[in-house]
């Protein structure tokens, strides 16, 4: 019996030919699985489970941390830097700042300064703690050890948030941020996160440098590329920022739908709901203002229109104007005779009857009524702070760009026309063309949870 027992003991002994799996490999796979669970959550869960995503990810994080406890002691067995990095990355999956994550990642980069992934994670950790300068130092510090898309796109975000003392420095940061984001996309054109951040960089450029439609088109093109990537497509930030770009393209129906998608993907995030509500309120106010002709009483409106003097067309009153070396013919037409998109060689003329406040203050929106009492909204971009038009002003708009808003959304029926004006300097107000002092850049509000 004892011999048999001894044989069993021998048979059960550790086989010297069996290679024990490297704990770092085990932990690396576990952390990778954790991030796959988060990033591909909606491939395995219905959208209705979005409310549970945060808690489900936290449970996966705890399970991953338990694996580190099983390997406890391995951090002093020759691979401390990677051990600390992996554990710090696990904790860093949370949206909020985790001090222990910073501590672990700091240890990792001190032990192994060439560990690019640790630098990037540490930078994101500082970012969550609103320590922009330290975050920037981490991403800059990673690049000498190897050019990589994560450091580049994170630098693009950091530069947009970095505090500056002058508008010139702010503009330089925005321009450099666009270049970093482009470079990140160039390293991996299939990465939707990089495309999304490039779109955000263009959106910042639109607000900080020039409210140019071409910049918005580049922005939208980047977001469309981002949506081809499943990870980026299921990120609520992408849909929120896309909604903001669509709003300034005046594609309001699509903007409202994008806000809705952001809300579905992250029901606990208030910003999309707030912005959607604000946009609906704005559109309802425009609709009401157009329909009511600014709520001006009929008698007062008639008096205002009697003062609509042809001389107030200023440089446009002779039926043409000069653009560079070219003379452009202009025919005065009524608002009702405008066609969709740009109306070349035409000018419209009317009295300002109201203006409509928007939470972003962009665009400056007002309504004009022409001599036939047609009313239309005007959306004016690139207007300097504190500038604008007032009720009773006579306004002439050359070659107006007409947009017809006609759609239904959440029991709201929108049907109104508006004229989009890219710069105030083309307007003639009370007979005089507006000067360059009326045009200025505006500072962008913060659009993104983490950008």
């Amino acid at each position: 019996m004892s011999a048999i027992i001894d044989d069993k003991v021998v048979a059960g002994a550790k086989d010297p030919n069996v290679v024990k799996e490297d704990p770092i490999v085990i932990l690396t796979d576990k952390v990778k699985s954790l991030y796959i669970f988060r990033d591909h959550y909606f491939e395995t869960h219905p959208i209705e489970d979005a409310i549970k995503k945060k808690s489900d990810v936290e449970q996966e994080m705890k399970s991953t941390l338990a694996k580190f406890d099983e390997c406890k002691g391995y951090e002093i067995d020759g691979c401390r830097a990677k051990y600390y990095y992996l554990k710090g990355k696990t904790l860093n999956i949370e949206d909020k700042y985790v001090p222990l994550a910073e501590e672990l990642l700091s240890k990792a980069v001190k032990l192994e300064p060439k560990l690019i992934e640790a630098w990037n994670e540490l930078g994101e950790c500082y970012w969550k703690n609103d320590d922009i300068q330290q975050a920037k130092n981490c991403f800059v510090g990673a690049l000498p050890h190897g050019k990589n898309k994560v450091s580049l796109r994170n630098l693009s975000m950091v530069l947009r948030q970095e505090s500056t003392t002058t508008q010139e420095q702010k503009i330089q940061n925005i321009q450099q941020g666009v270049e970093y984001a482009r470079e990140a996309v160039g390293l991996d054109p299939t990465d939707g996160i990089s495309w999304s951040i490039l779109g955000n960089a263009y959106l910042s450029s639109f607000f900080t440098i020039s409210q140019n439609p071409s910049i918005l088109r580049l922005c939208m093109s980047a977001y469309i590329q981002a949506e081809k990537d499943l990870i980026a497509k299921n990120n609520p930030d992408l849909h929120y920022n896309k909604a903001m770009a669509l709003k300034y393209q005046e594609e309001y129906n699509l903007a409202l739908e994008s806000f809705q998608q952001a809300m579905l993907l992250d029901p606990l995030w208030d910003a999309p709901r707030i912005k959607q509500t604000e946009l609906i309120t704005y559109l309802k106010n425009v609709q009401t203002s157009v329909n009511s002709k600014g709520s001006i009483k009929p008698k007062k409106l008639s008096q205002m229109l009697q003062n609509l003097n042809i001389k107030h067309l200023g440089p446009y009153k002779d039926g043409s104007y000069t653009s560079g070396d070219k003379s452009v013919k202009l025919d005065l037409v009524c608002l009702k005779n405008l066609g969709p998109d740009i109306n070349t060689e035409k000018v419209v003329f009317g009295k300002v009857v109201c203006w409509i406040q928007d939470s972003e203050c962009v665009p400056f929106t007002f309504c004009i009524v022409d001599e036939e009492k047609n009313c239309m909204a005007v959306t004016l971009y690139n207007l300097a702070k504190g500038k604008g038009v007032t009720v009773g002003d006579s306004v002439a708009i050359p070659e107006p760009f007409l947009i017809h808003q006609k759609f239904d959304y959440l029991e709201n029926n929108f049907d109104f026309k508006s004229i989009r004006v890219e710069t105030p300097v083309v307007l003639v107000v009370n007979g005089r063309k507006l000067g360059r002092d009326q045009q200025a850049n505006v500072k962008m509000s913060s659009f993104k949870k983490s950008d």
Side-chain angles (χ1 to χ4, degrees):
M1 179 69 71
S2 61
I4 295 174
I5 293 174
D6 289 342
D7 285 344
K8 286 184 179 178
V9 171
V10 172
K14 183 176 178 181
D15 188 340
N17 296 318
V18 175
V19 179
K20 183 181 178 182
E21 190 173 0
D22 187 341
I24 289 296
V25 173
I26 296 172
L27 293 173
T28 299
D29 290 343
K30 188 69 175 172
V31 175
K32 183 179 179 181
S33 296
L34 169 64
Y35 275 79
I36 289 174
F37 178 83
R38 182 197 68 179
D39 295 338
H40 296 269
Y41 186 83
F42 293 108
E43 294 172 47
T44 55
H45 296 76
I47 194 72
E48 292 78 16
D49 282 357
I51 193 72
K52 301 193 300 181
K53 181 181 177 182
K54 181 178 171 62
S55 60
D56 287 349
V57 171
E58 286 177 355
Q59 282 301 115
E60 287 294 313
M61 180 189 73
K62 290 176 182 176
S63 172
T64 304
L65 289 172
K67 203 69 180 175
F68 282 88
D69 291 337
E70 292 177 20
C71 298
K72 195 165 181 63
Y74 194 76
E75 67 270 27
I76 59 172
D77 193 21
C79 290
R80 284 188 296 165
K82 288 185 179 178
Y83 180 94
Y84 292 143
Y85 155 66
L86 289 168
K87 190 170 184 180
K89 180 172 176 147
T90 301
L91 291 163
N92 215 26
I93 200 167
E94 299 228 66
D95 290 334
K96 63 184 180 182
Y97 167 71
V98 180
L100 181 56
E102 180 190 331
E103 180 185 333
L104 291 165
L105 293 166
S106 296
K107 288 180 180 179
V109 297
K110 286 176 183 176
L111 287 167
E112 196 172 329
K114 294 183 180 181
L115 193 55
I116 294 171
E117 296 87 350
W119 279 113
N120 287 331
E121 284 295 328
L122 181 57
E124 291 189 27
C125 198
Y126 283 128
W127 177 273
K128 292 174 186 176
N129 198 33
D130 293 325
D131 193 338
I132 304 300
Q133 193 56 52
Q134 283 283 55
K136 179 181 177 181
N137 292 341
C138 288
F139 302 136
V140 170
L143 287 174
H145 304 301
K147 187 177 290 187
N148 67 95
K149 62 186 179 182
V150 177
S151 296
L152 289 167
R153 69 194 188 199
N154 283 345
L155 271 174
S156 175
M157 292 191 293
V158 164
L159 284 173
R160 295 199 296 276
Q161 295 296 329
E162 187 177 37
S163 179
T164 56
T165 55
T166 65
Q167 180 67 7
E168 183 181 4
Q169 182 60 52
K170 179 70 173 176
I171 289 172
Q172 288 176 357
N173 277 14
I174 296 297
Q175 291 172 330
Q176 185 61 60
V178 169
E179 292 307 311
Y180 278 136
R182 280 178 178 164
E183 201 172 348
V185 165
L187 290 177
D188 184 359
T190 66
D191 191 313
I193 301 299
S194 296
W195 277 110
S196 177
I197 290 170
L198 177 58
N200 297 344
Y202 282 132
L203 192 56
S204 296
S205 179
F206 174 79
F207 275 90
T208 309
I209 301 173
S210 174
Q211 292 169 26
N212 189 322
S214 65
I215 299 296
L216 277 183
R217 287 193 288 272
L218 288 171
C219 176
M220 286 304 304
S221 178
Y223 289 148
I224 289 168
Q225 289 295 324
E227 286 186 294
K228 295 178 181 179
D229 179 2
L230 280 174
I231 295 177
K233 185 178 181 179
N234 288 324
N235 188 332
D237 294 332
L238 168 62
H239 298 281
Y240 178 74
N241 290 328
K242 181 184 174 186
M244 296 301 292
L246 286 164
K247 174 187 174 183
Y248 297 114
Q249 281 191 313
E250 299 190 23
E251 296 186 46
Y252 296 125
N253 191 19
L254 294 176
L256 292 168
E257 289 175 357
S258 288
F259 281 133
Q260 185 67 28
Q261 186 63 18
M263 290 159 55
L264 290 173
L265 289 168
D266 190 350
L268 299 175
W269 188 21
D270 289 333
R273 185 175 295 101
I274 292 169
K275 289 298 179 185
Q276 185 191 65
T277 301
E278 288 177 349
L279 180 53
I280 290 173
T281 299
Y282 166 77
L283 293 172
K284 289 167 73 173
N285 287 341
V286 174
Q287 177 86 69
T288 300
S289 297
V290 170
N291 291 345
S292 68
K293 297 179 175 60
S295 299
I296 300 290
K297 292 182 179 180
K299 184 177 180 180
K300 184 176 180 181
L301 180 60
S302 296
Q303 291 174 341
M304 290 171 65
L305 295 177
Q306 285 175 5
N307 295 323
L308 194 60
N309 195 311
I310 197 72
K311 69 181 182 181
H312 288 160
L313 278 168
Y316 303 145
K317 72 180 188 311
D318 296 325
S320 66
Y321 76 102
T322 302
S323 177
D325 297 329
K326 181 182 176 184
S327 179
V328 179
K329 182 176 176 293
L330 286 177
D331 290 325
L332 179 61
V333 298
C334 293
L335 292 170
K336 69 179 182 181
N337 293 329
L338 293 178
D341 298 327
I342 190 166
N343 289 262
T344 56
E345 299 187 347
K346 291 181 173 59
V347 62
V348 292
F349 185 43
K351 282 285 185 182
V352 177
V353 292
C354 68
W355 56 273
I356 298 106
Q357 181 68 50
D358 178 56
S359 61
E360 296 290 329
C361 299
V362 178
F364 180 85
T365 307
F366 60 96
C367 291
I368 59 171
V369 175
D370 66 13
E371 61 181 0
E372 292 190 355
K373 295 188 178 180
N374 303 302
C375 186
M376 198 170 288
V378 179
T379 54
L380 177 57
Y381 294 80
N382 287 296
L383 185 67
K385 185 178 180 181
K387 303 294 183 178
V389 295
T390 59
V391 173
D393 283 346
S394 300
V395 176
I397 307 171
E399 301 193 312
F401 188 94
L402 182 74
I403 302 174
H404 188 182
Q405 302 292 346
K406 188 173 183 178
F407 63 93
D408 299 333
Y409 192 81
L410 296 181
E411 301 181 354
N412 295 291
N413 309 114
F414 299 111
D415 187 358
F416 63 87
K417 294 178 180 179
S418 62
I419 297 170
R420 182 184 178 109
V421 181
E422 301 300 341
T423 172
V425 298
V426 302
L427 297 182
V428 169
V429 179
N430 300 325
R432 294 186 176 184
K433 207 169 183 185
L434 293 183
R436 292 286 175 185
D437 64 314
Q438 298 280 328
Q439 179 171 302
N441 300 314
V442 286
K443 188 176 180 181
M444 184 183 72
S445 63
S446 180
F447 288 159
K448 191 169 182 284
K449 288 192 289 185
S450 57
D451 179 5

